[in-house]
Amino acid sequence: MKTSTYNLEIKLFLRSRSAWIGIAILLFTGIAALYFGKSFIADQQAVIEKAALLQQKSTDENVAHFGKDIGLFFYHNKFSTANIPGQWAAFANGQRDINPYLISVTMLALEGQLYDTELTNPVSMLLGNMDVSFVFLFLFPLVIIAFSYNLISEQRESGIWPLLKSQSDHLFRVIWRKFLIRIGAIYAVAILLMGISVWYLNLPLDQTLVLAFALIVLYLAFWFAISVFIISLGKSSSYNASALVAFWVVLCIIVPATLNLWLSQRFSVPEALQNVINQREGYHEKWDMPKEVTMKPFFEHYPELKKYPFPHDKTFSWFWYYGMQQMGDDQAKESRSAIERKLIARQHFTNMAALFIPTIQTQLGINEVAGSDLDSHLDFQQAVRQHHEQIRLRFYPNIFLEKPISSTGVEKIPLKRFEAEKRYPYERLVSIILATVILLAISIRNLSNKRLAKWSF
């Protein structure tokens, strides 16, 4: 009898045109998002590979044009660092569409070059890119709402509810069966879409997959819990639909946008402009000062370079010029540190706020496992700084001793590849679980057989 009842509920659910439309929308948009996400990352990978070839070509051309003056050569020659997208970056593009993933710098002052990026249409940046995480985070909840909002109210509004009450003493089981059918349908689509993602994006079957899928499963469970909670209030279908859509708008749009706006105001970074000004002033003002003003702090920064002879008698030397460039970076050090502190503070507050907002919590978690979050970008910037420092220390002696370009081996310097550290933020699962359990506990209390028996139509 129990099996036949479930079979009947499944048939009733599948007869609904809206059920098939919802499933079709999720599958179609999910597959389209897979294509767009993979294409977006493939374009970045193509640019990175092209940059590796162009760096070698550019170095060869610079050797041909400026080979007789080693200082002038390194003034023009650029060294690139690329943030290599991980395998999960196509699943969740994260901040890779707004932050530079390829930074090319010369041996001059770094702070004026670090934030250079390609020109991008601001409208396309506002709209963002569509990836699979977008479908799970924003579209799946809407379909859950469409499947669930009238689960009980439809029975009451059609006059069937009194008949159900008279024929069953376990009304909660009747409702639970209906919910299980919808839960099964949503999770079947989610599993299918994840399976397609693993195959299409060639994702490894590892800990990252387990964590990403756990985040998605719990996130969908949270939205089912919200649906059950609203339904358990015993209101009309129109009320349920309006309330659930309002929850979706608030949790998916208004709260994240408001939080982002507040963070931008609370942790504004006027130091960003000041950083560039400090770097430029730290360099340009040295033209009109005695050379000792530049070289004394330079040798304090690099005491190992004191052994190279400094040409005091020359009006201009590359030794002095690159010393000025370094002083520009040193003078911008304080404002640069202030920017980093503000960004870290933003991320910390976002993590704290996400404890109470499962939508943000899930998005942050997926971006972290994909290596496309803010922390990964800050690590990438740090890798650029380290690479820049290594280049300087390697070629400063050649410049100061005015050695020929052929003795430097500069043509052997490849494009620097940075790969984000793998993160497994299991702690993000806890708050989603707690929110889901609390909502379900309240809903189950509201849907007790005793309370359901008192509902009228």
Side-chain angles (χ1 to χ4, degrees), residues 44-75:
Q44 291 193 350
Q45 289 173 326
V47 170
I48 291 171
E49 295 307 316
K50 186 176 181 180
L53 298 175
L54 286 177
Q55 176 170 309
Q56 183 64 53
K57 182 179 178 182
S58 176
T59 298
D60 293 339
E61 291 178 350
N62 286 334
V63 169
H65 286 85
F66 312 110
K68 296 181 179 180
D69 189 335
I70 187 171
L72 190 60
F73 169 83
F74 282 107
Y75 176 91

Side-chain angles (χ1 to χ4, degrees), residues 29-30 32-38 40 90 93 127-132 134-135 139:
T29 55
L34 275 172
Y35 172 77
F36 290 127
K38 186 175 182 178
F40 175 73
N93 297 159
L127 295 175
N129 294 288
M130 186 175 180
D131 53 32
V132 193
F134 172 86
V135 176
L139 300 188

Side-chain angles (χ1 to χ4, degrees), residues 82 130 155 187 203 219 243 309 317 377 416 419 424 427 444:
M130 186 175 180
Q155 314 297 321
Y187 278 117
L203 301 176
Y219 179 70
S317 68
H377 177 67
K416 179 72 173 180
E419 295 185 11
Y424 304 102
E427 67 278 1
I444 291 173

Side-chain angles (χ1 to χ4, degrees), residues 303-357:
E304 68 273 21
L305 297 179
K306 284 184 179 181
K307 62 183 179 181
Y308 299 103
F310 177 71
H312 293 274
D313 55 327
K314 289 186 177 181
T315 304
F316 173 86
S317 68
W318 288 113
F319 203 143
W320 171 58
Y321 182 81
Y322 283 103
M324 286 196 299
Q325 293 290 332
Q326 178 62 55
M327 291 306 96
D329 278 344
D330 286 354
Q331 193 159 318
K333 186 177 181 180
E334 185 175 342
S335 54
R336 188 198 84 190
S337 298
I339 294 173
E340 292 176 349
R341 288 195 298 270
K342 291 284 186 70
L343 292 177
I344 292 172
R346 279 190 188 183
Q347 187 69 4
H348 175 73
F349 192 90
T350 301
N351 289 333
M352 295 301 294
L355 294 174
F356 307 96
I357 310 168

Side-chain angles (χ1 to χ4, degrees), residues 99-286:
N99 291 322
Y101 59 92
L102 180 67
I103 299 179
S104 300
V105 297
T106 65
M107 282 181 59
L108 305 181
L110 177 62
E111 295 303 320
Q113 308 177 75
L114 190 60
Y115 304 98
D116 290 343
T117 184
E118 61 182 10
L119 296 177
T120 306
N121 188 330
V123 175
S124 64
M125 291 183 67
L126 179 64
L127 295 175
N129 294 288
M130 186 175 180
D131 53 32
V132 193
S133 66
F134 172 86
V135 176
F136 280 115
L137 288 168
F138 296 97
L139 300 188
F140 266 80
L142 287 175
V143 176
I144 290 174
I145 291 170
F147 282 2
S148 309
Y149 79 96
N150 63 347
L151 203 60
I152 300 177
S153 56
E154 184 181 37
Q155 314 297 321
R156 299 170 63 195
E157 292 162 358
S158 63
I160 299 176
W161 187 250
L163 182 62
L164 285 175
K165 289 200 297 183
S166 65
Q167 292 185 347
S168 176
D169 294 329
H170 303 285
L171 292 172
F172 179 78
R173 291 183 183 177
V174 175
I175 297 170
W176 183 239
R177 278 198 298 266
K178 293 178 178 294
F179 257 111
L180 281 180
I181 302 303
R182 286 149 180 81
I183 291 172
I186 290 294
Y187 278 117
V189 176
I191 292 171
L192 177 60
L193 197 53
M194 281 298 296
I196 296 174
S197 301
V198 170
W199 167 74
Y200 186 68
L201 302 178
N202 195 27
L203 301 176
L205 303 178
D206 57 6
Q207 187 178 175
T208 302
L209 175 61
V210 173
L211 179 54
F213 190 61
L215 283 165
I216 290 170
V217 167
L218 290 173
Y219 179 70
L220 299 182
F222 167 75
W223 277 102
F224 273 113
I226 289 182
S227 299
V228 175
F229 170 72
I230 295 298
I231 289 169
S232 72
L233 300 178
K235 304 295 184 178
S236 65
S237 296
S238 58
Y239 176 91
N240 294 345
S242 299
L244 287 169
V245 171
F247 265 105
W248 182 86
V249 171
V250 169
L251 292 177
C252 294
I253 299 176
I254 294 179
V255 170
T258 303
L259 179 63
N260 182 61
L261 181 61
W262 185 85
L263 287 174
S264 298
Q265 295 295 325
R266 176 66 178 81
F267 300 105
S268 60
V269 283
E271 296 87 356
L273 175 60
Q274 190 61 44
N275 186 53
V276 177
I277 294 174
N278 290 343
Q279 182 266 313
R280 291 185 180 276
E281 286 184 349
Y283 153 62
H284 285 292
E285 67 183 6
K286 300 299 188 298

